[in-house]
Amino acid sequence: MKRMLAALVFLISSIPIMAQEQMSDWTFGPFVRPANVNPVLSPNPKSTFRDPMNKTQVAWEANDVFNPAATIRNDKIYVIYRAEDRSGEGIGERTSRLGLAESSNGLTMKRRPTPVLFPTNDNQQEFEWPGGCEDPRIAVTETGTYVMLYTQWNKKVPRLAVATSTNLTSWTKHGPAFYKAYQGRFKDLASKSASIVTKLVNGRQVIAKVNGKYMMYWGERFLNIATSNDLINWEPMLDEKDELKAVVRTRPNYFDSDLTECGPPAIITAKGILLLYNGKNKPGAGRDTAYTANTYAAGQVLFDVNDPTKVIGRLDKPFFVPTAPFEKSGQYPAGTVFVEGLVFFHNKWFLYYGCADSRVGVAVYEPGK
């Protein structure tokens, strides 16, 4: 029986996960889970550091590790992941910090023993104490500055925030991304999940400008666009009614019927601006009955590069769905593959994702194969 179960797990982990419809010529994929690799990161109760909030040693990644960003440095993949301690019970009730792992092949990870971004005695206390730093996405400029968008959580309002670094271990926090926009109109806006637009330059994925400005898609209830001149201060796009402009909305009876939440950095391709995003299925009426209620699965949407608000392609079925046991157990047993990290490395795309809010997985897409 054990041999049969092992064979079944091997078979599932090796199956390309694609939409149940024909993938279009603008999509990325199929993404394949490498055999005998996942999860690449799991909780580690032995990792401790001195917490500046309570001045004691804390097992900072003891409970869960998930929702990873990814980037390249010195011909290695670096994964920045969200880690939770055991300071509370239930989703959102513990403190989150961001850990760092490196890999020379994208599959096996060497972890740093202490977090690289966390709530501390700095000018961000009001935004990060006691909930911490969550759900990073990261991209790099052509000159080597890493820009990370993450969620500050004070257990009152989640805020999208910016941090920068040149080495991935020492970070400068710049505070909420929308704090100065429109004379502070959105400084207390509940916001999260930002995907900066990037492009490939000689095989290197770097931050790009669109129509003369840096740009990102962000949001979860619907997707909005924000622009910036400096990658630190961002201005959300407004519609004709002077409200946040929705460029992608949820769809009744589809896998993204409840939420549409941005994934890794968007990419300018020959077809347009490609965004991978996370869709949550409704729990009741209006959900996609092909998938479990409350399931998080990943979709793809394509925007016109000349008019980034214009959708020119969108998958009706997810290209990546929870199938493995570790993707359907843990904090979120309804099933979660939550994509946040995507890097081009050795002519392959490595996709890093959170598994049921408890572990980190990887899947690989090899163009032309």
Side-chain angles (χ1 to χ4, degrees), residues 216-228:
M216 68 180 178
Y217 295 94
W218 68 277
E220 60 171 356
R221 294 292 172 185
F222 58 83
L223 302 191
N224 180 257
I225 287 174
T227 57
S228 174

Side-chain angles (χ1 to χ4, degrees), residues 163-324:
T164 56
S165 175
T166 56
N167 60 13
L168 299 177
T169 55
S170 300
W171 289 89
T172 300
K173 296 179 182 178
H174 299 282
F178 303 143
Y179 205 79
K180 296 180 180 179
Y182 305 105
Q183 293 75 51
R185 176 182 172 185
F186 297 111
K187 66 184 181 66
D188 294 322
L189 174 72
S191 56
K192 56 172 59 179
S193 304
S195 302
I196 294 179
V197 176
T198 63
K199 64 181 178 181
L200 285 181
V201 177
N202 298 322
R204 181 170 174 246
Q205 186 183 2
V206 295
I207 295 172
K209 286 186 176 180
V210 180
N211 297 331
K213 289 194 174 186
Y214 299 112
M215 200 188 88
M216 68 180 178
Y217 295 94
W218 68 277
E220 60 171 356
R221 294 292 172 185
F222 58 83
L223 302 191
N224 180 257
I225 287 174
T227 57
S228 174
N229 293 317
D230 60 8
L231 292 170
I232 293 171
N233 299 288
W234 293 83
E235 186 173 279
M237 182 176 289
L238 304 181
D239 62 18
E240 62 280 358
K241 296 181 180 179
D242 203 37
E243 300 295 334
L244 292 174
K245 181 179 179 65
V247 297
V248 169
R249 293 186 181 273
T250 57
R251 298 177 291 181
N253 304 309
Y254 285 84
F255 74 97
D256 50 12
S257 53
D258 199 36
L259 291 176
T260 53
E261 193 163 352
C262 288
I267 303 163
I268 297 174
T269 72
K271 302 292 184 179
I273 303 174
L274 178 65
L275 175 68
L276 278 58
Y277 70 97
N278 300 287
K280 182 185 178 185
N281 203 13
K282 274 182 175 274
R287 75 177 180 91
D288 188 333
T289 57
Y291 307 98
T292 304
N294 293 311
T295 291
Y296 277 92
Q300 299 187 34
V301 59
L302 187 71
F303 297 91
D304 188 323
V305 71
N306 297 309
D307 179 4
T309 69
K310 182 181 178 181
V311 173
I312 55 179
R314 185 177 181 181
L315 290 180
D316 287 337
K317 295 184 181 298
F319 76 96
F320 202 63
V321 298
T323 57

Side-chain angles (χ1 to χ4, degrees), residues 8-309:
L8 180 59
V9 169
F10 177 86
L11 179 62
I12 290 174
S13 67
S14 303
I15 296 174
I17 304 300
M18 301 176 63
Q20 296 177 20
E21 61 186 346
Q22 182 66 40
M23 296 287 277
S24 302
D25 62 357
W26 54 267
T27 54
F28 275 19
F31 283 91
V32 180
R33 294 170 175 84
N36 303 318
V37 167
N38 285 314
V40 293
L41 293 171
S42 296
N44 182 6
K46 295 182 179 179
S47 296
T48 63
F49 94 121
R50 185 172 174 80
D51 179 22
M53 289 192 296
N54 58 30
K55 297 179 175 56
T56 61
Q57 289 294 119
V58 173
W60 61 279
E61 55 180 349
N63 208 77
D64 301 281
V65 296
F66 56 113
N67 292 6
T71 192
I72 306 293
R73 185 171 187 263
N74 296 335
D75 199 36
K76 289 184 179 180
I77 292 178
Y78 285 81
V79 173
I80 296 181
Y81 59 94
R82 174 180 171 183
E84 288 187 340
D85 59 22
R86 291 175 174 165
S87 59
E89 293 185 9
I91 294 175
E93 295 303 318
R94 292 175 276 272
T95 298
S96 290
R97 301 169 182 88
L98 302 185
L100 180 68
E102 66 178 74
S103 176
S104 58
N105 61 7
L107 307 178
T108 54
M109 300 285 164
K110 179 183 178 182
R111 290 152 87 151
R112 194 174 187 270
T114 56
V116 294
L117 199 76
F118 48 89
T120 187
N121 295 300
D122 57 22
N123 61 3
Q124 299 302 306
Q125 286 186 38
E126 65 175 301
F127 306 123
E128 297 180 355
W129 286 40
C133 308
E134 303 178 349
D135 299 354
R137 279 86 165 164
I138 188 171
V140 64
T141 66
E142 289 195 63
T143 56
T145 296
Y146 295 91
V147 180
M148 182 162 62
L149 281 299
Y150 69 101
T151 303
Q152 297 179 311
W153 177 229
N154 59 7
K155 296 194 176 182
K156 295 176 182 177
V157 178
R159 290 178 176 87
L160 188 63
V162 184
T164 56
S165 175
T166 56
N167 60 13
L168 299 177
T169 55
S170 300
W171 289 89
T172 300
K173 296 179 182 178
H174 299 282
F178 303 143
Y179 205 79
K180 296 180 180 179
Y182 305 105
Q183 293 75 51
R185 176 182 172 185
F186 297 111
K187 66 184 181 66
D188 294 322
L189 174 72
S191 56
K192 56 172 59 179
S193 304
S195 302
I196 294 179
V197 176
T198 63
K199 64 181 178 181
L200 285 181
V201 177
N202 298 322
R204 181 170 174 246
Q205 186 183 2
V206 295
I207 295 172
K209 286 186 176 180
V210 180
N211 297 331
K213 289 194 174 186
Y214 299 112
M215 200 188 88
M216 68 180 178
Y217 295 94
W218 68 277
E220 60 171 356
R221 294 292 172 185
F222 58 83
L223 302 191
N224 180 257
I225 287 174
T227 57
S228 174
N229 293 317
D230 60 8
L231 292 170
I232 293 171
N233 299 288
W234 293 83
E235 186 173 279
M237 182 176 289
L238 304 181
D239 62 18
E240 62 280 358
K241 296 181 180 179
D242 203 37
E243 300 295 334
L244 292 174
K245 181 179 179 65
V247 297
V248 169
R249 293 186 181 273
T250 57
R251 298 177 291 181
N253 304 309
Y254 285 84
F255 74 97
D256 50 12
S257 53
D258 199 36
L259 291 176
T260 53
E261 193 163 352
C262 288
I267 303 163
I268 297 174
T269 72
K271 302 292 184 179
I273 303 174
L274 178 65
L275 175 68
L276 278 58
Y277 70 97
N278 300 287
K280 182 185 178 185
N281 203 13
K282 274 182 175 274
R287 75 177 180 91
D288 188 333
T289 57
Y291 307 98
T292 304
N294 293 311
T295 291
Y296 277 92
Q300 299 187 34
V301 59
L302 187 71
F303 297 91
D304 188 323
V305 71
N306 297 309
D307 179 4
T309 69

